[in-house]
Amino acid sequence: MSTLTERNGTARDTASAEVAAGYRAGRTLPLRVELVRQLKRRRTLVMGAVLAALPFVLVIAFAIGGTPDGGPDGDRVNLMDTATSSGANFAAVNLFVSAGFLLVIPVALFCGDTVASEAGWSSLRYLLAAPVPRMRLLWSKLVVGLGLSLAAMVLLPVVALVVGTAAYGWGPLQIPTGGALEPGTAAQRLVVVVAYIFVSQLVTAGLAFWLSTRTDAPLGAVGGAVGLTIVGNVLDAVTALGDWRDFLPAHWQFAWADAVQATPEWSGMVQGAAVSVTYALVLFALAFRGFVRKDVVS
Amino acid sequence: MQDLSFRVEKGQVLGLLGPNGAGKTTTLRMLMGLIRPDGGEIRVFGHAIRPGAPVLSRVGSFVEGAGFLPHLSGRENLELYWRATGRPPEDAHLEEALEIAGLGDALARAVRTYSQGMRQRLAIAQAMLGLPDLLILDEPTNGLDPPQIREMREVMIRYAAGGRTVIVSSHLLAEVEQSCTHLVVMDRGRLVQAGPVHEIVGSGDTLLVGTATPVEEPVAEKIAALPCVASADRTDGGLLVRLDADGTAAGLVAELVRLEVPVASVGPHRCLEDAFLTLIGGSA
């Protein structure tokens, strides 16, 4: 009897129900939906194409310029000189030439453009009024932005490995300082390298994402993040700063080279990861804090 | 914004009327939880509005222009928007909304190729997805051509007739007069007046009678003395007649013809504009 009354009560109360049928805040803007919204954009496709094309460009460059092995100053061997030894070497060289700048761009783009472009299109206010809770919206956007960034970083070495293997054969990874890593070990090390590059780029991601929540101009957020990364690189080149440079994320961006050795050396990568993650957490926190309180007027 | 307070009930079409800069859009943005009022609160269906309040799932909105992903087609935009709400696809009533948009084959084209009016109609269709209990439309007829404006008006009236509520903002008097049941008049961030349309524009039973020749004063007095007439005043080119509660236009015309008044036209006295200008002190 009491159940029946209650049921009647519920039916009558639909006029003042808090939510529409089937709405649950936790289900709004699912990752899959956000991914579809971003994937179909031209900039995503162009970025993917650029990264996939780089290995081909390098193969052509080495074909025209000749193999770098045994250059004139044979005593100063670096990773570049081993590029054509094997597919694994070629993949490592691709990462080496792009880690400093080329891989910064997809991260800044995917994390910096994501909220600002919605604000620019005015679609942000309709998502928020759907309502997608603000934390939920940022979370979906951040996960998809980071996911696309990671995909870009995986895409480059995978294409390079395939192209390099086709061009130079499958073989052990020749270490510039002497020795070689078996293909199986080499593959593991490349995974470590990609993982480290991803973690070291989190600071750029954090910066871009924070800027994205502050502006309606996507170019401002992306450009700001790329610009500050460049400033970091410049400061790192100022040797007079001495130990202060340890606090610059840019100081550690090539620490992954320690993994391309007979015995990997971890301390540099651990420090670099710690610096990057610390900055990133602060920046992500700023983004969430600011966005939740913000008046959306775009 | 100061001292703005109003209520809207089920089945009403509420017009938010005010000159540009009166704070209409700001009010609607607050209703959507996009900006916070400095003080006071907004309740929709009895639930307080704050950013992302769940009750907003019962509200559909179109405020300050369309917002679409330009690289996607009109249909994809609406589908992805609905999927972003996380609600069951069958609740979207997508086809009904698309019919209101009336975009036809253009639905398959990227939104960036759309004209202003097409975006507008798609955005209104988006607001109607899921047939929300409260529909908020900000200047919905801007950028539409006259037949589309008339259609939009009918859409709003039908929508409210189904037991839902529509809030529509406009700076066009004729617009709200024809589609709204209730009005909120705003000026410079303040509420000027709120209530049913007929209360704000004066009683809806005032008729303007156009005559071929000016009416003589004694005739006007005779008309004023008719049983169904409350008052009759001579104006330029005719008479302004206010009917009694039981008076009808048809009855009045019959009486006028009997009194040999040369009636040329009879129509409702459009006094909303006067009312509006009076209310906001003539600044518009």
Side-chain angles (χ1 to χ4, degrees), chain B residues 23-260:
Chain B
K24 303 185 293 284
T25 300
T26 309
T27 309
L28 298 183
R29 280 182 175 282
M30 284 185 195
L31 257 178
M32 291 164 72
L34 295 176
I35 57 182
R36 290 164 193 265
D38 297 329
E41 69 169 354
I42 301 171
R43 283 180 176 271
V44 174
F45 306 120
H47 301 277
I49 291 286
R50 37 184 180 72
V55 70
L56 288 171
S57 61
R58 297 180 63 194
V59 180
S61 47
F62 165 70
V63 172
E64 258 201 320
F68 292 111
L69 279 62
H71 55 287
L72 297 177
S73 72
R75 181 181 283 273
E76 284 174 317
N77 259 292
L78 257 49
E79 282 172 355
L80 281 173
Y81 178 77
W82 187 257
R83 285 172 66 189
T85 68
R87 291 168 59 190
E90 63 272 17
D91 288 358
H93 302 276
L94 183 66
E95 298 309 320
E96 288 168 69
L98 290 178
E99 199 166 314
I100 287 164
L103 290 171
D105 294 342
L107 274 176
R109 280 190 354 227
V111 167
R112 83 168 85 80
T113 65
Y114 283 20
S115 70
Q116 163 82 18
M118 291 162 81
R119 276 170 215 235
Q120 176 113 352
R121 280 179 285 150
L122 189 65
I124 293 169
Q126 176 176 284
M128 289 185 178
L129 280 183
L131 305 178
D133 297 313
L134 171 62
L135 183 63
I136 298 176
L137 301 174
D138 182 22
E139 306 271 2
T141 54
N142 267 7
L144 299 189
D145 49 33
Q148 290 167 344
I149 290 177
R150 195 172 58 195
E151 204 178 311
M152 185 52 57
R153 203 181 293 144
E154 281 160 12
V155 164
M156 289 189 294
I157 293 171
R158 265 206 312 274
Y159 200 83
R164 300 189 176 84
T165 310
V166 180
I167 296 183
V168 52
S169 86
S170 181
H171 61 273
L172 294 176
L173 310 157
E175 194 57 56
V176 293
E177 190 187 25
Q178 290 177 54
S179 50
C180 298
T181 59
H182 290 67
L183 274 185
V184 167
V185 183
M186 293 179 65
D187 186 35
R188 286 170 231 143
R190 285 170 183 275
L191 175 74
V192 178
Q193 201 176 347
V197 170
H198 65 87
E199 270 181 27
I200 290 189
V201 302
S203 50
D205 48 12
T206 304
L207 296 175
L208 185 63
V209 179
T211 52
T213 54
V215 182
E216 301 295 327
E217 185 59 39
V219 181
E221 278 169 20
K222 268 190 215 167
I223 295 169
L226 287 170
C228 62
V229 171
S231 71
D233 299 298
R234 291 190 300 158
T235 62
D236 295 340
L239 277 171
L240 197 58
V241 180
R242 201 155 63 77
L243 296 174
D244 267 347
D246 55 347
T248 62
L252 175 70
V253 172
E255 290 293 331
L256 291 176
V257 170
R258 196 177 56 78
L259 290 169
E260 292 179 341

Side-chain angles (χ1 to χ4, degrees), chain A residues 73-95:
Chain A
D73 48 347
D75 51 356
R76 289 190 61 208
V77 186
N78 63 31
L79 193 58
M80 199 54 137
D81 298 330
T82 66
T84 55
S85 327
S86 73
N89 275 85
F90 185 70
V93 165
N94 271 275
L95 285 173

Side-chain angles (χ1 to χ4, degrees), chain A residues 14-21 23 27-30 33 37 40-41 121 123 125-126 129-131 134 295-298, chain B residues 29 32-36 47 53-55 57-58 61 63-65 67-71 76 81 83-87:
Chain A
T14 47
S16 63
E18 186 167 15
V19 295
Y23 172 83
R27 283 205 203 144
T28 54
L29 194 59
V33 173
R37 300 168 92 245
K40 291 195 175 173
R41 298 183 58 185
W121 296 327
S123 47
R125 61 167 173 266
Y126 292 110
R134 295 188 181 192
D295 277 351
V296 176
V297 288
S298 59
Chain B
R29 280 182 175 282
M32 291 164 72
L34 295 176
I35 57 182
R36 290 164 193 265
H47 301 277
V55 70
S57 61
R58 297 180 63 194
S61 47
V63 172
E64 258 201 320
F68 292 111
L69 279 62
H71 55 287
E76 284 174 317
Y81 178 77
R83 285 172 66 189
T85 68
R87 291 168 59 190

Side-chain angles (χ1 to χ4, degrees), chain A residues 172-175 178-182 262:
Chain A
L173 177 66
Q174 299 294 333
I175 296 170
L181 294 173
E182 283 311 301

Side-chain angles (χ1 to χ4, degrees), chain A residues 155-200:
Chain A
L155 177 73
L156 175 71
V158 165
V159 173
L161 198 58
V162 171
V163 171
T165 305
Y168 313 117
W170 177 253
L173 177 66
Q174 299 294 333
I175 296 170
T177 50
L181 294 173
E182 283 311 301
T185 323
Q188 285 176 19
R189 296 293 172 81
L190 283 178
V191 170
V192 169
V193 169
V194 170
Y196 177 75
I197 293 178
F198 177 71
V199 172
S200 71

